[in-house]
Amino acid sequence: MALTRIPAKITRRDEIGRDILLIEFSAEYLPPWTPGAHIDVEIPGCGLRSYSLIDGDYQKTYRIAVKILQDPGSASLSIRDRFHVGTDVDIYPAINRFPIKKASHYTFLAAGIGITPILSMLRELDGSDAAWKCHYFVRSPDQMPFIDELRTLADKANAELNVFVSGETGRQSLAELFEHEDKLEAVYACGPTGFMNEAADIVSKRDGVRFYIEDFDDQRTEVAGEHPEPVCEGETAERISPNAAFEVECRASGHSFTVEPHETILDHVRQILPDYPTSCEEGVCGTCEVAVLGGIPAHRDQWYTDEARADGGRMMICVSRSKTKKLVLDL
Ligand code: FES
């Protein structure tokens, strides 16, 4: 098991814009999260769906915003009809695959409800030296629930906030928008898939620009039973002492390396996959989680339950090591 189900209760439900609901989940203990994080929520009749966190009370509540789509059978309609204050809902701990990385200048692209992870990032940048610009695309003025706070953050940071209301005229072309944009360093985008594909296409033609997206279709959080048991035979069964060097085979990319006692697996993975997502790098947030295909991990994180550790099928590569001479990872 990778993530532990959390029985939560809905303690707030507000309509914060046309067809936009704010939902607050409360539980006895909710793991801390970092800007850009999301949670998975069990939606009746639809299974798990991912939602970016807007904010919450430390370890007590998570808050999300949901755009209600009028498609019959959609998760958002189920939320509208079945999630009320007092409803019991199963959720999963926050995980961050869209963390904000250090940069001197950020460009944020948000479409519709895609503003939610961007908002938490802008709050994080509040008071920092980083410069930023945010392009926010909405259908109508009554679907911008966080606009006052965005304007306040932009004023404080002396940053540029451009709001594009498409209405019936269609969305502003990103190609035109970027045509005269010469200051691109780190670009973060969140919105519908077509929007992010368009952004990726444009940004990929610029040299040296780091581009990050939140795409829940591509990045489903894996939960219990969705990964194979690790194989332990040969070197992946040979036990070593706790701090000894060990071999890592990255099955998907074909890379192998040795992790010395003073190194982490992440140190090496960074050289192979420079944009590999991490956040806390202390084994707390769950962002760097990897599936283990062979060998036995020596868990040193504070993320997993004892039950999840015993399973051994996943690990946090920022801190955890190996109990066997070799680990095979799904990287
Ligand atoms: S980066 Fe947070 S657990 Fe590894």
Side-chain angles (χ1 to χ4, degrees), residues 161-174:
L161 172 67
N162 296 314
V163 180
F164 300 96
V165 181
S166 60
E168 293 175 0
T169 61
R171 179 168 57 74
Q172 159 76 38
S173 150
L174 291 180

PDB file of all heavy atoms in Angstrom, residues 161-174:
ATOM      1  N   LEU A 161      -0.305  40.759 -13.277  1.00  0.00           N
ATOM      2  CA  LEU A 161      -1.400  39.785 -13.296  1.00  0.00           C
ATOM      3  C   LEU A 161      -2.311  40.141 -14.459  1.00  0.00           C
ATOM      4  O   LEU A 161      -2.926  41.207 -14.472  1.00  0.00           O
ATOM      5  CB  LEU A 161      -2.184  39.848 -11.978  1.00  0.00           C
ATOM      6  CG  LEU A 161      -3.473  39.019 -11.936  1.00  0.00           C
ATOM      7  CD1 LEU A 161      -3.176  37.523 -11.989  1.00  0.00           C
ATOM      8  CD2 LEU A 161      -4.274  39.349 -10.668  1.00  0.00           C
ATOM      9  N   ASN A 162      -2.356  39.271 -15.452  1.00  0.00           N
ATOM     10  CA  ASN A 162      -3.200  39.515 -16.620  1.00  0.00           C
ATOM     11  C   ASN A 162      -4.379  38.561 -16.595  1.00  0.00           C
ATOM     12  O   ASN A 162      -4.185  37.348 -16.550  1.00  0.00           O
ATOM     13  CB  ASN A 162      -2.405  39.290 -17.912  1.00  0.00           C
ATOM     14  CG  ASN A 162      -1.265  40.272 -18.039  1.00  0.00           C
ATOM     15  OD1 ASN A 162      -1.442  41.465 -17.814  1.00  0.00           O
ATOM     16  ND2 ASN A 162      -0.073  39.779 -18.354  1.00  0.00           N
ATOM     17  N   VAL A 163      -5.576  39.111 -16.592  1.00  0.00           N
ATOM     18  CA  VAL A 163      -6.778  38.273 -16.590  1.00  0.00           C
ATOM     19  C   VAL A 163      -7.421  38.348 -17.966  1.00  0.00           C
ATOM     20  O   VAL A 163      -7.690  39.444 -18.475  1.00  0.00           O
ATOM     21  CB  VAL A 163      -7.777  38.748 -15.514  1.00  0.00           C
ATOM     22  CG1 VAL A 163      -9.021  37.871 -15.533  1.00  0.00           C
ATOM     23  CG2 VAL A 163      -7.125  38.724 -14.142  1.00  0.00           C
ATOM     24  N   PHE A 164      -7.622  37.192 -18.576  1.00  0.00           N
ATOM     25  CA  PHE A 164      -8.245  37.126 -19.896  1.00  0.00           C
ATOM     26  C   PHE A 164      -9.611  36.472 -19.751  1.00  0.00           C
ATOM     27  O   PHE A 164      -9.704  35.305 -19.360  1.00  0.00           O
ATOM     28  CB  PHE A 164      -7.384  36.304 -20.859  1.00  0.00           C
ATOM     29  CG  PHE A 164      -6.000  36.873 -21.045  1.00  0.00           C
ATOM     30  CD1 PHE A 164      -4.933  36.389 -20.305  1.00  0.00           C
ATOM     31  CD2 PHE A 164      -5.775  37.904 -21.945  1.00  0.00           C
ATOM     32  CE1 PHE A 164      -3.658  36.918 -20.462  1.00  0.00           C
ATOM     33  CE2 PHE A 164      -4.506  38.448 -22.109  1.00  0.00           C
ATOM     34  CZ  PHE A 164      -3.445  37.951 -21.361  1.00  0.00           C
ATOM     35  N   VAL A 165     -10.653  37.236 -20.027  1.00  0.00           N
ATOM     36  CA  VAL A 165     -12.012  36.697 -19.946  1.00  0.00           C
ATOM     37  C   VAL A 165     -12.452  36.363 -21.363  1.00  0.00           C
ATOM     38  O   VAL A 165     -12.588  37.253 -22.211  1.00  0.00           O
ATOM     39  CB  VAL A 165     -12.968  37.722 -19.304  1.00  0.00           C
ATOM     40  CG1 VAL A 165     -14.373  37.141 -19.196  1.00  0.00           C
ATOM     41  CG2 VAL A 165     -12.457  38.128 -17.922  1.00  0.00           C
ATOM     42  N   SER A 166     -12.647  35.078 -21.617  1.00  0.00           N
ATOM     43  CA  SER A 166     -12.906  34.681 -23.004  1.00  0.00           C
ATOM     44  C   SER A 166     -14.340  34.961 -23.429  1.00  0.00           C
ATOM     45  O   SER A 166     -14.593  35.325 -24.571  1.00  0.00           O
ATOM     46  CB  SER A 166     -12.583  33.200 -23.197  1.00  0.00           C
ATOM     47  OG  SER A 166     -13.384  32.413 -22.344  1.00  0.00           O
ATOM     48  N   GLY A 167     -15.320  34.808 -22.501  1.00  0.00           N
ATOM     49  CA  GLY A 167     -16.712  35.041 -22.866  1.00  0.00           C
ATOM     50  C   GLY A 167     -17.066  34.290 -24.127  1.00  0.00           C
ATOM     51  O   GLY A 167     -16.805  33.100 -24.243  1.00  0.00           O
ATOM     52  N   GLU A 168     -17.620  34.998 -25.080  1.00  0.00           N
ATOM     53  CA  GLU A 168     -18.003  34.335 -26.323  1.00  0.00           C
ATOM     54  C   GLU A 168     -16.962  34.548 -27.412  1.00  0.00           C
ATOM     55  O   GLU A 168     -17.121  34.125 -28.539  1.00  0.00           O
ATOM     56  CB  GLU A 168     -19.355  34.869 -26.785  1.00  0.00           C
ATOM     57  CG  GLU A 168     -20.472  34.475 -25.831  1.00  0.00           C
ATOM     58  CD  GLU A 168     -21.788  35.110 -26.223  1.00  0.00           C
ATOM     59  OE1 GLU A 168     -21.812  35.839 -27.232  1.00  0.00           O
ATOM     60  OE2 GLU A 168     -22.761  34.860 -25.517  1.00  0.00           O
ATOM     61  N   THR A 169     -15.900  35.224 -27.097  1.00  0.00           N
ATOM     62  CA  THR A 169     -14.922  35.557 -28.135  1.00  0.00           C
ATOM     63  C   THR A 169     -13.840  34.499 -28.295  1.00  0.00           C
ATOM     64  O   THR A 169     -13.045  34.547 -29.219  1.00  0.00           O
ATOM     65  CB  THR A 169     -14.226  36.889 -27.798  1.00  0.00           C
ATOM     66  OG1 THR A 169     -13.543  36.717 -26.545  1.00  0.00           O
ATOM     67  CG2 THR A 169     -15.222  38.021 -27.689  1.00  0.00           C
ATOM     68  N   GLY A 170     -13.778  33.536 -27.382  1.00  0.00           N
ATOM     69  CA  GLY A 170     -12.719  32.531 -27.473  1.00  0.00           C
ATOM     70  C   GLY A 170     -11.512  32.951 -26.661  1.00  0.00           C
ATOM     71  O   GLY A 170     -11.348  34.123 -26.313  1.00  0.00           O
ATOM     72  N   ARG A 171     -10.672  31.973 -26.352  1.00  0.00           N
ATOM     73  CA  ARG A 171      -9.534  32.234 -25.472  1.00  0.00           C
ATOM     74  C   ARG A 171      -8.389  32.929 -26.204  1.00  0.00           C
ATOM     75  O   ARG A 171      -8.132  32.662 -27.371  1.00  0.00           O
ATOM     76  CB  ARG A 171      -9.035  30.906 -24.873  1.00  0.00           C
ATOM     77  CG  ARG A 171      -7.842  31.079 -23.965  1.00  0.00           C
ATOM     78  CD  ARG A 171      -7.537  29.846 -23.154  1.00  0.00           C
ATOM     79  NE  ARG A 171      -7.295  28.651 -23.921  1.00  0.00           N
ATOM     80  CZ  ARG A 171      -6.189  28.423 -24.616  1.00  0.00           C
ATOM     81  NH1 ARG A 171      -5.240  29.331 -24.678  1.00  0.00           N
ATOM     82  NH2 ARG A 171      -6.046  27.290 -25.267  1.00  0.00           N
ATOM     83  N   GLN A 172      -7.735  33.786 -25.470  1.00  0.00           N
ATOM     84  CA  GLN A 172      -6.524  34.452 -25.953  1.00  0.00           C
ATOM     85  C   GLN A 172      -5.503  33.400 -26.407  1.00  0.00           C
ATOM     86  O   GLN A 172      -5.254  32.423 -25.706  1.00  0.00           O
ATOM     87  CB  GLN A 172      -5.953  35.287 -24.799  1.00  0.00           C
ATOM     88  CG  GLN A 172      -4.494  35.655 -24.895  1.00  0.00           C
ATOM     89  CD  GLN A 172      -4.254  36.777 -25.887  1.00  0.00           C
ATOM     90  OE1 GLN A 172      -5.050  37.704 -25.980  1.00  0.00           O
ATOM     91  NE2 GLN A 172      -3.163  36.682 -26.632  1.00  0.00           N
ATOM     92  N   SER A 173      -4.916  33.609 -27.571  1.00  0.00           N
ATOM     93  CA  SER A 173      -3.911  32.668 -28.078  1.00  0.00           C
ATOM     94  C   SER A 173      -2.636  32.766 -27.246  1.00  0.00           C
ATOM     95  O   SER A 173      -2.103  33.858 -27.023  1.00  0.00           O
ATOM     96  CB  SER A 173      -3.620  33.003 -29.541  1.00  0.00           C
ATOM     97  OG  SER A 173      -2.300  32.653 -29.865  1.00  0.00           O
ATOM     98  N   LEU A 174      -2.147  31.615 -26.803  1.00  0.00           N
ATOM     99  CA  LEU A 174      -0.901  31.620 -26.027  1.00  0.00           C
ATOM    100  C   LEU A 174       0.279  31.987 -26.919  1.00  0.00           C
ATOM    101  O   LEU A 174       1.230  32.620 -26.481  1.00  0.00           O
ATOM    102  CB  LEU A 174      -0.669  30.243 -25.397  1.00  0.00           C
ATOM    103  CG  LEU A 174      -1.632  29.838 -24.279  1.00  0.00           C
ATOM    104  CD1 LEU A 174      -1.270  28.457 -23.751  1.00  0.00           C
ATOM    105  CD2 LEU A 174      -1.608  30.838 -23.146  1.00  0.00           C
TER     106      LEU A 174
END
